[in-house]
Amino acid sequence: MANEKTDEKTTDASSPAAPPSSARSRLTFAGIATGNLLVLLDTSILNVAVPDLDTSLHPSAATLPWAVDAYTVVFAGLLLAGGVFADRWGARRVYGSALAAFAVLSALCAAAPNAGALIVGRALLGAAGAGLVPASLALLIHLHPDPARRTRAVGAWTALSGLGAAAGPVLGGALVELGGWQLVFLVNPPIALAALLLARRLPNPRTRAVRALDRTGLLMSTAALGALTFGLVEAGIEGWNSPYACGPIAGALLAFGALTVVERRVAAPVLPPALLALPRVRAAMVAAAVSCFAFFGGAYLLGVWLQHTYDLSPFKAGLASLPLTFPVCVMPFFTGRLVARYGARPVLLTGMSASVVSGVLLTFATAHHPPLALIIAAEITLAATGTLSIPSAAAEMAVSAPPEYAATGQGALNGIRQAGSALGVAVLGTLGALSGAGCVLIGVGLVAVLLVARATAKSGR
């Protein structure tokens, strides 16, 4: 009887109880993608509202950036934990709870009376977002058990989710000009409600036999990821010599080292060795980190540079970034099909190579007003890096990770993505010169190409 129960749990965890109808499947997919769109929207929508926040709340110069960055730090720090909890408690339960919390916290942020309350609200929003992302991908994996359809679905999920990142600067600029920074938060509750309505009948994958909860590993990994992201963000604000940057980064490195030692002695480590032992999983994590470093770091650098060089308003600066951000809404649909047809390896390598090409283009931007065509070409190649590598890495993780580690794997992948994004902003954002950023992108891109090629060669994909 014990063996029969174990076999039954395994079967239920790896396949849906009943295949949903096509219409129901599309509505459920829309609900899952809309929730993740909301998370990515909040990573960029507040950036253009910073001047209005400054005028309205009068925060100190050191406090103001954290109205934006508190979200990123907590989000990155808790992503791995969010994946572990989704695998343990059920992706459906975690997703629904996190989505409801996101709506309520957004309304509270809009009502914040001062900068301190807003920073706390943004940090709590980051915690809700960390529950949404890995749970949404775990639900998507369960919705599409066939690997080829799953890969295409991940591409569509990434494209629809990327709409949030692309629309953020433009929508944020329009809302600020329409009624102030509060509207940036009040747009979230209706989107969250729509996601809940669309996903009323979310799939309910049964968890496998519950493994022991590695509380020490969770605490240490959360502290390490949070401290690393905090230090990198602070380096982008105050420079690499700031003790508020060096201290947390050093602490994060020590925490990661201690975590490696501690995890060897526990029965059920927070990041299972069986997951990291897979070459395709390692390739996905390298590609995700480097592509986010290039894409988000380059987007931040070019956004600031365009405003300073051409004296653009927030709304016009958002429009000027469309060659970089708009492909994020379209290309991942095709990326999923490419990965399903040819495998992840050529798509990942093409995306990594695109970051090298963008770096080469930026090295020629040495004049004060370089040709606009050169900037647009650099934006397009950076967009290719993001739209080829990021969805390919998510699809590769979705196909390669064992079902019992679906949310944990996606949490780890998104955690390293956020660390890569913060590092890109901290490094490229502090360089100032486009040509210097180009040299960094060339070096990082070439290393990534070699690492991804080596890892994927072992699996033939």
Side-chain angles (χ1 to χ4, degrees):
M1 285 295 291
N3 291 337
E4 290 177 2
K5 289 181 180 179
T6 303
D7 292 341
E8 182 182 351
K9 285 182 179 180
T10 302
T11 302
D12 288 337
S14 59
S15 61
S21 66
S22 179
R24 177 182 166 188
S25 177
R26 286 195 293 269
L27 287 175
T28 304
F29 170 80
I32 294 171
T34 301
N36 198 60
L37 177 150
L38 193 62
V39 174
L40 290 182
L41 181 69
D42 262 51
T43 61
S44 60
I45 194 171
L46 192 61
N47 293 346
V48 294
V50 169
D52 191 58
L53 273 172
D54 193 16
T55 302
S56 176
L57 299 181
H58 307 290
S60 65
T63 300
L64 181 60
W66 288 104
V68 176
D69 295 323
Y71 177 89
T72 303
V73 170
V74 176
F75 179 56
L78 289 176
L79 271 167
L80 179 56
V84 171
F85 290 138
D87 280 333
R88 184 178 178 86
W89 294 335
R92 177 179 176 177
R93 179 185 299 175
V94 171
Y95 183 77
S97 301
L99 196 56
F102 206 96
V104 173
L105 290 168
S106 295
L108 292 176
C109 283
N114 53 57
L118 180 59
I119 291 171
V120 172
R122 285 282 287 174
L124 293 174
L125 270 179
L132 275 172
V133 174
S136 68
L137 265 168
L139 290 169
L140 186 64
I141 290 167
H142 182 75
L143 190 64
H144 296 282
D146 176 67
R149 293 190 64 184
R150 180 187 302 171
T151 299
R152 291 193 292 270
V154 170
W157 176 89
T158 306
L160 293 175
S161 304
L163 180 63
V170 179
L171 179 61
L175 289 172
V176 170
E177 293 185 11
L178 181 64
W181 63 268
Q182 291 88 348
L183 291 183
V184 168
F185 293 103
L186 292 178
V187 75
N188 288 340
I191 298 175
L193 178 60
L196 284 171
L197 292 175
L198 286 170
R200 290 192 306 274
R201 296 179 179 178
L202 282 169
N204 191 23
R206 295 185 184 180
T207 56
R208 298 194 179 203
V210 178
R211 58 194 177 106
L213 183 63
D214 180 15
R215 293 181 175 84
T216 302
L218 277 176
L219 289 173
M220 292 181 69
S221 62
T222 298
L225 285 169
L228 176 63
T229 309
F230 181 96
L232 292 174
V233 169
E234 190 65 28
I237 297 171
E238 298 292 338
W240 291 96
N241 293 328
S242 169
Y244 297 107
C246 298
I249 291 174
L253 295 177
L254 289 174
F256 280 124
L259 180 64
T260 303
V261 175
V262 170
E263 293 296 274
R264 291 175 180 173
R265 301 178 181 178
V266 298
V270 63
L271 195 56
L275 191 64
L276 293 177
L278 299 171
R280 291 167 64 181
V281 167
R282 295 198 300 271
M285 296 182 78
V286 170
V290 173
S291 58
C292 286
F293 174 93
F295 180 79
F296 290 102
Y300 178 84
L301 172 65
L302 288 169
V304 172
W305 182 85
L306 284 168
Q307 288 189 63
H308 288 172
T309 304
Y310 296 103
D311 194 24
L312 300 177
S313 69
F315 181 65
K316 290 181 179 179
L319 291 176
S321 67
L322 284 178
L324 177 62
T325 56
F326 179 73
V328 178
C329 311
V330 180
M331 273 301 297
F333 284 107
F334 302 99
T335 301
R337 296 179 182 275
L338 290 172
V339 173
R341 183 171 183 178
Y342 300 108
R345 188 172 193 262
V347 183
L348 285 173
L349 291 176
T350 303
M352 296 294 94
S353 300
S355 68
V356 178
V357 175
S358 66
V360 171
L361 291 170
L362 288 176
T363 57
F364 290 100
T366 54
H368 180 63
H369 284 80
L372 189 58
L374 180 66
I375 302 303
I376 293 174
E379 286 185 320
I380 291 173
T381 51
L382 278 175
T385 298
T387 56
L388 291 174
S389 299
I390 294 174
S392 297
E396 188 75 332
M397 181 66 78
V399 172
S400 303
E404 65 270 26
Y405 301 136
T408 299
Q410 294 296 340
L413 182 72
N414 282 281
I416 199 168
R417 278 181 54 184
Q418 290 300 314
S421 301
L423 182 60
V425 171
V427 172
L428 300 182
T430 54
L431 288 177
L434 296 184
S435 57
C439 293
V440 173
L441 286 174
I442 292 172
V444 172
L446 289 174
V447 171
V449 167
L450 293 174
L451 291 176
V452 171
R454 180 180 179 183
T456 52
K458 295 179 180 179
S459 61
R461 291 274 294 179

